[in-house]
Amino acid sequence: MSGHRDAAAPALARIQTESVVAMLKALNPGLQFEIIAMTTTGDKILDTALSKIGEKSLFTKELEHALKMNVVDLVVHSLKDLPTVLPPGLTIGAICKRENPCDAVVFHSKFVGKTLETLPERSVVGTSSLRRAAQLQRKYPHLEFKSIRGNLNTRLQKLDEQQFSAIILAAAGLQRMGWQHRVGQGALGVEVRAKDQGILDLVGALHDPETLLCCMAERAFLRHLEGGCSVPVAVHTAIKDGQLYLTGGVWSLDGADSMQETMQATIHGPAQHEEGPEDDPQLVGITARNIPRVAQLAAENLGISLANLLLHKGAKNILDIARQLNDAH
C-alpha cells in the first residue's frame, strides 16, 4: 500500500507514484499495491509563498503520520520536498534514478521566441523558489520576480491568463506530465518506516546508486548549511570517472551577493560487504544497505566539507541576512 500527495499536484503526484509502483511490480509480479491519495498542508495553503509559511514539513507531515500509523507502507515524494532531518522512526528507503534536474522557463504565447534576456523591461516572471528568484534577479535585473503557487495546471493557467510573462518550473515535472512542448529536482524518494525490514528490502531494490550518492552529498550540504525554503541555497552534483563533483552556492535575496564553490571526492572503490545490521544505518535520512558504506560516507563527508568551506568564507552572514529579510517581509 503506498501513499502520495494528490491535491496541489494531483496528476503529477499520481504519475510519480504509479511509476514507482510499476517498478516494484516488475520486480515483484505477485504483489498487489493500493494507491491512496492524501492532502498536505502545503497543498492547502496556496496564497502564501513557501518561504513565508514557516513549516519545514509542508508537503510531508500528513503522509508521514499515515506511515507511522501503518495506514500506508510507503510514501512517494519529490525528494526536494523531504526535509534533510526526518521524523524519528522514518527513513528514505529508495532513491530512484534522477530525471532532468534542470529548471525550465515557460513563456506566455505572445513571447514565443523570446528569452529571459530579451523580455521587455519589468516583465513579471513567476517562481515558487527563493533560490531561483535570487539567481535570476542577479542575471536579469530588468525583470520582476513574483511568487507563484499551485499545481502545474494552475500555474500554466495563470501564465495563459497573462498574470505572468513567463514562469520557472522543474523540467522533470513537465517531462513526467508529457508537457515537454511547454518547456525532492528530478529525483523521487520513497519514505518508509525505518524498522520495517520487509518494506526496506522491497523498495531498496529501486535505489539508483549514482543518484543516491549525489543526493546524499546534496542533503548533507543543505543540512549543514541549514538551507531550506527561506534561504536561497543551490547545489549541483555530477559523477565522472569515479569522482563525485559537488557545487554549492548561496545568494542574498536580491542576488547581489553570492558565493559558489566546487569540491570533489572519490566514490567508486571496491565494494565492501558489511556483515550484520548497524545500530543506525541512515545517513542524512537515507537507508541503503545495498550500496557500499564507504561510498555513502564519502558522499556525506563531501557535502559537509563543502558547506564548511562556504561557511568559512562568509556564507553564514549572507544566509542570516536573507533569513532576516525574508521574515521581515
Side-chain angles (χ1 to χ4, degrees), residues 197-216:
Q197 195 57 51
I199 296 295
L200 275 168
D201 291 342
L202 176 71
V203 303
L206 301 184
H207 272 311
D208 179 73
E210 289 199 353
T211 302
L212 176 129
L213 294 172
C214 286
C215 290
M216 277 191 162

Side-chain angles (χ1 to χ4, degrees), residues 89-251:
L90 300 182
T91 188
I92 300 168
I95 294 180
C96 305
K97 186 174 178 61
R98 174 175 265 162
E99 294 191 35
N100 188 342
C102 298
D103 296 333
V105 186
V106 184
F107 292 94
H108 186 274
S109 57
K110 71 179 180 180
F111 294 120
V112 169
K114 293 280 189 180
T115 65
L116 290 176
E117 189 171 8
T118 59
L119 277 177
E121 190 85 15
R122 301 184 69 80
S123 292
V124 178
V125 178
T127 174
S128 62
S129 163
L130 277 183
R131 185 264 306 169
R132 289 171 177 155
Q135 289 176 307
L136 293 169
Q137 191 73 64
R138 180 181 178 89
K139 190 167 184 179
Y140 306 106
H142 68 292
L143 301 177
E144 293 185 11
F145 296 90
K146 294 187 177 179
S147 175
I148 183 172
R149 295 290 315 286
N151 60 49
L152 284 177
N153 284 316
T154 300
R155 295 187 196 192
L156 291 170
Q157 182 179 348
K158 290 178 179 179
L159 176 67
D160 293 339
E161 292 172 350
Q162 301 190 45
Q163 296 182 38
F164 299 90
S165 300
I167 58 177
I168 313 297
L169 300 169
L174 289 167
Q175 290 174 341
R176 289 180 184 130
M177 292 290 288
W179 291 343
Q180 296 92 326
H181 64 286
R182 298 217 59 162
V183 190
Q185 265 23 47
L188 295 179
V190 182
E191 191 176 15
V192 301
R193 291 179 291 274
K195 301 299 184 182
D196 194 331
Q197 195 57 51
I199 296 295
L200 275 168
D201 291 342
L202 176 71
V203 303
L206 301 184
H207 272 311
D208 179 73
E210 289 199 353
T211 302
L212 176 129
L213 294 172
C214 286
C215 290
M216 277 191 162
E218 294 164 7
R219 287 173 63 83
F221 172 79
L222 293 170
R223 176 190 281 188
H224 206 66
L225 275 184
E226 298 182 2
C229 291
S230 62
V231 288
V233 177
V235 62
H236 178 264
T237 47
I239 293 179
K240 184 178 181 182
D241 299 329
Q243 296 289 308
L244 173 58
Y245 296 86
L246 181 67
T247 299
V250 301
W251 285 260

Side-chain angles (χ1 to χ4, degrees), residues 26-149:
L27 294 170
N28 307 273
L31 285 183
Q32 296 296 315
F33 295 85
E34 177 188 357
I35 297 177
I36 298 177
M38 299 179 188
T39 302
T40 68
T41 302
D43 297 324
K44 297 173 184 175
I45 304 175
L46 298 178
D47 58 352
T48 305
L50 291 176
S51 60
K52 305 290 187 185
I53 299 175
E55 166 64 58
K56 288 188 175 181
S57 302
L58 279 175
F59 298 108
T60 62
K61 186 162 61 176
E62 290 81 0
L63 282 73
E64 288 171 336
H65 178 71
L67 199 52
K68 288 181 176 180
M69 299 302 292
N70 295 308
V71 175
V72 297
D73 297 308
L74 55 104
V75 177
V76 178
H77 301 277
S78 290
L79 192 60
K80 63 180 178 59
D81 291 336
L82 274 174
T84 55
V85 179
L86 298 182
L90 300 182
T91 188
I92 300 168
I95 294 180
C96 305
K97 186 174 178 61
R98 174 175 265 162
E99 294 191 35
N100 188 342
C102 298
D103 296 333
V105 186
V106 184
F107 292 94
H108 186 274
S109 57
K110 71 179 180 180
F111 294 120
V112 169
K114 293 280 189 180
T115 65
L116 290 176
E117 189 171 8
T118 59
L119 277 177
E121 190 85 15
R122 301 184 69 80
S123 292
V124 178
V125 178
T127 174
S128 62
S129 163
L130 277 183
R131 185 264 306 169
R132 289 171 177 155
Q135 289 176 307
L136 293 169
Q137 191 73 64
R138 180 181 178 89
K139 190 167 184 179
Y140 306 106
H142 68 292
L143 301 177
E144 293 185 11
F145 296 90
K146 294 187 177 179
S147 175
I148 183 172
R149 295 290 315 286

